[in-house]
Amino acid sequence: MADNARAKRLADLIREVVAQKLQRGIKDPRLGSHVTITDTRVTGDLREATVFYTVYGDDEERNEAAAGLESAKGILRSEVGRAAGVKFTPTLTFVMDALPDTARNIEDLLDKARQSDEKVREASAGAKYAGEADPYRKPDEDDETDDTTE
């Protein structure tokens, strides 16, 4: 089993090689400049690599990019093997990165929370306390409830 530092270095190399090859070497129109490699992870035995990517566009462009990456998998793997110089070139698996969608969802939820907070702030603008402003007893106040024993 390889150490984690070696797996990290190989993952970084795979990310760079795949990104450069997609940018300059592959002439597939489905893989235009709208595909971005975001992360790469390699298993501990250096046999499998997962490449995460995002696609700028709608669902149709995402599906086309997935098909283009699947068809270019062999070319990309041979290029990684040439650059890495390892005994066994890891198999490449391409996975759509959900990070942009998750970030967009979180931003929408935060906007809703801000709007809700603003409504509560507007509703409580002229409100007053139901009792006293400070409901806690002070040490200097007389405690009349303790003198009830006769």
Side-chain angles (χ1 to χ4, degrees):
M1 183 149 324
D3 60 348
N4 288 338
R6 186 173 180 198
K8 175 76 172 124
R9 283 193 311 267
L10 183 60
D12 291 342
L13 178 73
I14 290 171
R15 186 180 70 237
E16 291 174 15
V17 168
V18 169
Q20 287 176 356
K21 191 68 176 172
L22 286 176
Q23 193 74 341
R24 298 187 190 129
I26 296 181
K27 304 294 186 211
D28 193 343
R30 299 175 292 186
L31 300 174
S33 61
H34 56 277
V35 175
T36 304
I37 305 299
T38 57
D39 192 18
T40 306
R41 296 188 186 146
V42 178
T43 58
D45 60 356
L46 306 179
R47 296 278 180 162
E48 298 174 9
T50 305
V51 180
F52 295 93
Y53 68 96
T54 59
V55 178
Y56 181 72
D58 57 358
D59 288 336
E60 181 180 334
E61 290 176 343
R62 289 182 185 138
N63 293 336
E64 289 177 1
L69 286 171
E70 199 62 35
S71 69
K73 187 184 287 190
I75 296 169
L76 294 172
R77 184 173 180 216
S78 64
E79 196 67 30
V80 166
R82 213 174 281 127
V86 292
K87 182 177 181 180
F88 182 81
T89 303
T91 59
L92 300 178
T93 305
F94 292 97
V95 176
M96 176 72 79
D97 196 357
L99 185 67
D101 295 333
T102 305
R104 190 175 311 116
N105 187 24
I106 289 173
E107 285 296 323
D108 291 343
L109 291 173
L110 288 173
D111 286 340
K112 288 179 183 177
R114 283 187 201 106
Q115 291 172 357
S116 175
D117 287 347
E118 185 61 33
K119 288 179 184 176
V120 169
R121 193 175 300 116
E122 289 173 3
S124 65
K128 296 182 180 178
Y129 294 105
E132 297 177 16
D134 187 11
Y136 301 104
R137 292 188 212 173
K138 306 282 188 276
D140 59 337
E141 292 179 356
D142 291 333
D143 193 7
E144 298 172 6
T145 58
D146 290 340
D147 297 334
T148 57
T149 57
E150 293 184 20

